[in-house]
Structure formats: C-alpha cells, structure tokens
C-alpha cells in the first residue's frame, strides 16, 4: 500500500500539465484508440493545460496586485487572511485524509460506474484535493479520521451526481461535448444557482431581464466582443485600485487578452480529449448495453472561457472587496483567491442558461454567503494548516480561502458531521438518494438511446 500511495503522490506531484497527458495516454491505450493517437491526445491535452495555466496565471498575477492595492488604498483591516487555493490544496493533501484520497476516489468512481450511479470517468486526479479538504476539516471538528474519510467519500459522490446532471447544460452553453466537471468547488454552487434561478422566475419583470453577451455583440459589434468587455472591466478595476495611467492601461489590455485566450486554450484541450471521449463512448456501448452516455470528468478550468463567466467574474472582483468591508460578521480579507471567482461560475452559467443578469445576482448572493462561510470555517482551516506544518503568513493569526474555505457544500458537510453519527447518517442518506435518483435517470437515458439505435 505504501508503494501504491508513493506512486500516486509522485504522479500527483508532476502537476496537471504532466499528470493529465499520462492519464489520457493510458486511457487511450485501454480504450484501443491506438498508441499514436493516444500519445497525440495526451500531448495535446497537456499543451492545452499549459496554455490554460499560463493565461490563468497571467490573470492571477494581474488581478492579485490590483486587489491588494484596493485593500491598501481603502485601509481595510480584516483579521482572517485569504491564502488562496494552492495553500488550501497543500493543506488538504498533507492531511491524513489526503494521503489516501487518490486511490480511495478512484475506487469510488469505479464502483459508481459499475453500479450505474454515475456517467463520469473522473480523470482529474489533482482536484481530488477538494474532497480531502472537506475530510480534513471534518476529521478536526469530530476528532475522528474515520469520519473525515467518510465525509470525503460522500462529498465526492454528491459532486459526481452534480457533474452528471450539469453535463448536458454545460455542452449546450459551453459547447463541451462529452465532458463533465466533477469539481468540488464549482459543483457546490449548482443547487444554490437552481434555487435562485427558480426564485427569479417568480418575480414579474425581473424574470425577463437577460444580459446575453452574444446578443450584445450582435447589437454593438466590436464593442460587445469579449476583448472589449474584458479591457473595459480591466480599466475599471485599475482605476478603482488607484493605479496610474500606465498600469491601468496594462491591466485593461491584459484582461481583454485573457477573455480571448482562455477559450482558445480550452478548445485545444478539447481537441485532445475528443478521440478519448469518442473511444470511451464506443467502449461502453460495446461492452455495457445498459449504460447511457459516458463523460470524461475534467478540471473546471476548461469551462471558464465562456464570456459571461469571465465578464461577471471581473465585475465581482471589486464588489467582493467592497462586500468584505460592509458585510456584518465577515472577518475574511479576500486577496489571493479573487482570481478563482470564475471557477465559481463555470457551472452557474449553464444553470441560468447563459443569462448574465441572473449569474450576477447569484454571484453577489453566493459571495456574500461565502465570506461568512469562510469566516466560520477559518478556525478549522487554521488548525488544519498548523497540523500540516503550513507556513502561516507573517502576522496572520487565522487563515481561510475563497476556494474551498467559502464552499457551501464543505460547510454543510462539516457542520452535519459535527452533530455526530446522526449527522453523518443524514449526509449519507442524502448522497445515497442522489446516487439512486441519478441511476434511474441514467437507465432511462440508456433505454431511450437504445430505442433510437434499434429504430
């Protein structure tokens, strides 16, 4: 077992741009796409991830200092420091739950596939850290590693069902065929988006408001294109941050470029995944007649290129800082994770059918709630960091993050588990009901698909 864990840790440590090509190549060989095609698919996916990471890094490195400048300019003094998702991931993987999370999640995925309770082959091993993070916090609050591991498993099952449920809408909105996003952060906001969307449907006049960038682009031509939208939002953020004219212009052009480049990098990643996705569907069709469509589960980075996702996220960067100041009860100073706000919207956008107004309303409400959640979970995350021997920022007494410290699903799982056995049983019942309902949907889809093929 130690050897197996060491092997997983080695592959995980290579990072997504190296890890994913290896996984895609192995999948391609297993699915009999041919060694040449498997190598090409793996390398193309790796290059796509490199491109995405470069562009996301460009966005982060420009948004981060702007956010810090806003904080300094307006003299904000909040006691909990947002240390960002890389720190959260490191803390998660350094926990006891983190040491077993990869083989455990792979096993759960196989069981769910065999029992028809999921359609997703989750190859995004790196992002298993989201489940480990939840498990690590549960282990602390319950003083039980067993409860922590159970919580991580139940978190994954819930997210896998959400990934299946959102895949058709994701394909329609983002043109990502054969892809699902079993992402612990992005998936957590789907139930909230559905509830808010339903509430807006009940409000006359408001329910008719729709901000659609495609329609705006058709109406205003070049002034509605993502490059202009991103540039204008970048200029506004720079002005609010108090930048001089040069840095303001640089930020504007950079964020305009981000809105153009991310979809292109995602398209390259999709090019590599297409033969694997087709082979997986063919493999399942031949060997398992009672299965529906199969999805390849990937990182949410592939979905942040939607223009509404990026536009709404950029609007929310200064709004998040403003809300952190005025929100009663909030102690979190948002900083390092402001650049991950687009990941929050990847699955919200399909749930509101690409409506920018509804996405913005959902975003304001979820970020406000998220800041309070991050404040509430900060003592647990701080303890987890100390246990993992994480080097705390100078002067920081408490830390948190937007991803996953503000995650509503993580918060619900942690506090249900804190009740004890009863809470864990309630959580297990919810996960089981979701899995059974998902199985019924999958079987119905499979029957319909085979009826069409027979005709």
């Amino acid at each position: 077992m130690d050897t197996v864990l060491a092997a997983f840790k080695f592959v995980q440590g290579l990072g997504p741009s190296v890890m994913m090509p290896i996984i895609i190549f192995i999948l391609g060989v297993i699915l009999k796409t041919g060694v040449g095609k498997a190598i090409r698919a793996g390398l193309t996916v790796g290059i796509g991830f490199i491109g995405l990471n470069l562009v996301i890094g460009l966005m982060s490195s420009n948004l981060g200092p702007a956010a810090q400048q806003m904080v300094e300019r307006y003299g904000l003094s909040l006691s909990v420091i947002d240390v960002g998702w890389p720190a959260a991931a490191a803390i998660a993987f350094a926990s006891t739950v983190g040491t077993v999370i990869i083989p455990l999640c792979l096993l759960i995925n196989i069981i769910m596939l065999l029992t028809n309770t999921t359609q997703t082959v989750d190859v995004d091993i790196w992002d298993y850290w989201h489940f480990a993070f939840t498990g690590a916090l549960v282990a602390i609050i319950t003083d039980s590693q067993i409860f922590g591991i159970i919580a991580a498993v139940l978190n994954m099952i819930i997210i896998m069902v959400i990934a299946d449920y959102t895949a058709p809408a994701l394909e329609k909105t983002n043109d990502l065929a054969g892809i699902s996003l079993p992402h612990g952060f992005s998936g957590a906001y789907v139930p909230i988006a559905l509830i808010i969307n339903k509430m807006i449907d009940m409000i006359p006049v408001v329910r008719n408001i729709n901000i659609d960038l495609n329609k705006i682009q058709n109406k205003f031509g070049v002034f509605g294109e993502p490059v202009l939208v991103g540039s204008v939002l970048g200029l506004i953020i720079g002005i609010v941050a108090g930048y001089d004219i040069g840095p303001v212009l640089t930020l504007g052009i950079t964020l305009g470029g981000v809105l153009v480049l991310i979809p292109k990098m995602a398209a390259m990643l999709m090019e590599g995944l297409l033969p694997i996705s087709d082979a997986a569907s063919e493999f399942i069709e031949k060997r398992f007649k009672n299965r529906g469509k199969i999805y390849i589960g990937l990182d949410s980075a592939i979905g942040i290129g939607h223009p509404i996702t990026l536009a709404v996220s950029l609007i929310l960067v200064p709004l998040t800082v403003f809300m952190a100041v005025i929100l009663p009860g909030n102690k979190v100073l948002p900083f390092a994770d402001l650049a991950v706000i687009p990941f929050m919207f990847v699955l919200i956008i399909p749930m509101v059918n690409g409506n920018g107004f509804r996405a913005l309303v959902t975003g304001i409400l979820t970020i406000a709630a998220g800041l309070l959640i991050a404040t509430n979970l900060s003592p647990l995350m701080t303890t987890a960091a100390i246990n993992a021997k994480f080097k705390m920022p100078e002067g920081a007494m408490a830390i948190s993050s937007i991803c996953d410290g503000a995650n509503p699903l993580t918060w619900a799982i942690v506090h249900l588990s804190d009740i004890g056995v009863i809470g864990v049983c309630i959580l297990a019942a919810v996960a089981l009901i979701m899995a059974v309902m998902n199985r019924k949907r999958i079987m119905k889809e499979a029957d319909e698909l085979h009826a069409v093929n027979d005709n």
Side-chain angles (χ1 to χ4, degrees):
M1 179 56 72
D2 289 342
T3 304
V4 172
L5 288 174
F8 280 124
K9 281 196 169 185
F10 172 75
V11 174
Q12 165 200 324
L14 296 174
S17 58
V18 176
M19 179 181 71
M20 288 306 298
I22 294 172
I23 294 171
I24 293 299
F25 169 73
I26 293 171
L27 270 177
V29 171
I30 292 172
L31 297 172
K32 298 183 178 179
T33 60
V35 174
K37 280 188 177 180
I39 291 174
R40 187 183 186 281
L43 291 175
T44 304
V45 167
I47 292 167
F49 265 106
I50 288 172
L52 274 175
N53 288 334
L54 285 172
V55 180
I56 292 170
L58 181 67
M59 179 175 67
S60 301
S61 62
N62 282 272
L63 273 181
Q68 187 177 28
Q69 187 75 11
M70 288 181 204
V71 171
E72 293 174 357
R73 186 183 188 193
Y74 299 106
L76 306 184
S77 55
L78 298 165
S79 59
V80 180
I81 305 299
D82 168 20
V83 293
W85 73 265
I91 291 167
F93 276 130
S95 68
T96 302
V97 179
T99 60
V100 299
I101 198 66
I102 292 178
L104 183 61
C105 285
L106 289 173
L107 177 62
I108 297 300
N109 194 178
I110 292 168
I111 292 172
M112 291 186 73
L113 286 167
L114 292 175
T115 56
N116 273 343
T117 50
T118 191
Q119 297 166 280
T120 294
V121 180
D122 187 1
V123 301
D124 186 23
I125 291 175
W126 166 259
D127 278 320
Y128 290 176
W129 77 262
H130 296 282
F131 312 133
F133 182 85
T134 300
L137 298 193
V138 169
I140 292 169
I141 202 168
T142 62
D143 195 25
S144 170
Q145 296 298 333
I146 298 298
F147 274 11
I149 291 171
I150 292 171
V153 168
L154 295 176
N155 190 0
M156 180 186 184
I157 292 171
I158 292 170
I159 289 296
M160 294 292 282
V161 174
I162 290 173
D164 288 347
Y165 175 79
T166 54
L170 183 71
E171 178 177 353
K172 178 184 175 183
T173 306
N174 292 62
D175 197 26
L176 295 174
I179 300 300
S180 69
L181 303 178
H183 194 272
F185 180 60
S186 302
Y189 295 94
V190 169
I192 297 172
L194 291 172
I195 292 170
I196 295 174
N197 197 47
K198 187 64 69 176
M199 291 173 65
I200 292 175
D201 280 336
M202 299 175 183
I203 305 173
V205 181
V206 175
R207 65 189 173 203
N208 298 323
I209 301 175
N210 186 7
I211 301 174
D212 187 327
L213 279 192
N214 291 326
K215 291 180 180 178
I216 291 173
Q217 185 174 335
N218 292 334
K219 187 174 182 179
F220 295 101
V222 67
F223 295 101
E225 291 183 1
V227 64
L228 260 295
V229 173
S231 296
V232 169
L233 290 173
L235 292 173
I236 293 171
I237 291 171
I239 292 169
V240 173
Y243 280 179
D244 294 332
I245 184 65
V248 166
L249 294 174
T250 300
L251 185 61
I253 294 173
T254 300
L255 295 185
V258 165
L259 261 69
V260 173
L261 292 173
I262 283 180
K264 294 183 183 299
M265 294 302 100
M268 186 166 193
L269 198 152
M270 279 299 299
E271 179 188 337
L273 286 171
L274 190 60
I276 304 300
S277 179
D278 290 343
S281 298
E282 185 179 340
F283 180 87
I284 295 297
E285 180 68 23
K286 283 182 178 178
R287 289 163 178 80
F288 304 98
K289 295 296 183 184
N290 63 332
R291 303 298 170 98
K293 188 173 182 179
I294 289 294
Y295 299 109
I296 303 297
L298 292 176
D299 189 296
S300 287
I302 194 175
I304 70 172
H306 192 283
I308 290 287
T309 300
L310 289 168
V312 171
S313 300
L314 291 178
I315 291 170
L316 281 167
V317 168
L319 278 180
T320 299
V321 177
F322 177 70
M323 282 191 287
V325 177
I326 66 169
L327 188 64
N330 173 58
K331 296 181 181 179
V332 175
L333 175 63
F335 169 53
D337 259 351
L338 284 169
V340 307
I341 290 177
F343 288 80
M344 181 186 294
F345 286 93
V346 170
L347 291 178
I348 288 177
I349 300 300
M351 294 302 97
V352 299
N353 201 26
N355 186 318
F357 170 74
R358 296 189 179 203
L360 185 58
V361 171
T362 304
I364 291 171
L365 294 175
T366 51
I367 285 178
L371 289 170
L372 297 178
I373 288 171
T375 299
N376 180 259
L377 292 180
S378 64
L380 291 176
M381 184 168 173
T382 303
T383 301
I386 293 170
N387 292 344
K389 295 180 173 57
F390 174 75
K391 186 177 180 181
M392 300 281 282
E394 186 176 347
M397 298 299 294
I399 63 170
S400 192
S401 67
I402 294 174
C403 176
D404 266 15
N407 187 321
L409 180 57
T410 295
W411 178 84
I413 291 173
V414 167
H415 286 288
L416 270 174
S417 300
D418 192 30
I419 298 173
V421 174
I422 294 176
V424 173
C425 288
I426 292 172
L427 182 61
V430 170
L432 181 61
I433 290 169
M434 289 180 66
V436 170
M437 290 176 64
N438 199 38
R439 173 182 164 81
K440 289 182 178 179
R441 183 192 59 78
I442 292 169
M443 300 304 288
K444 181 180 178 181
E445 179 185 300
D447 290 341
E448 292 172 350
L449 181 63
H450 294 136
V452 170
N453 292 337
D454 291 341
N455 292 333

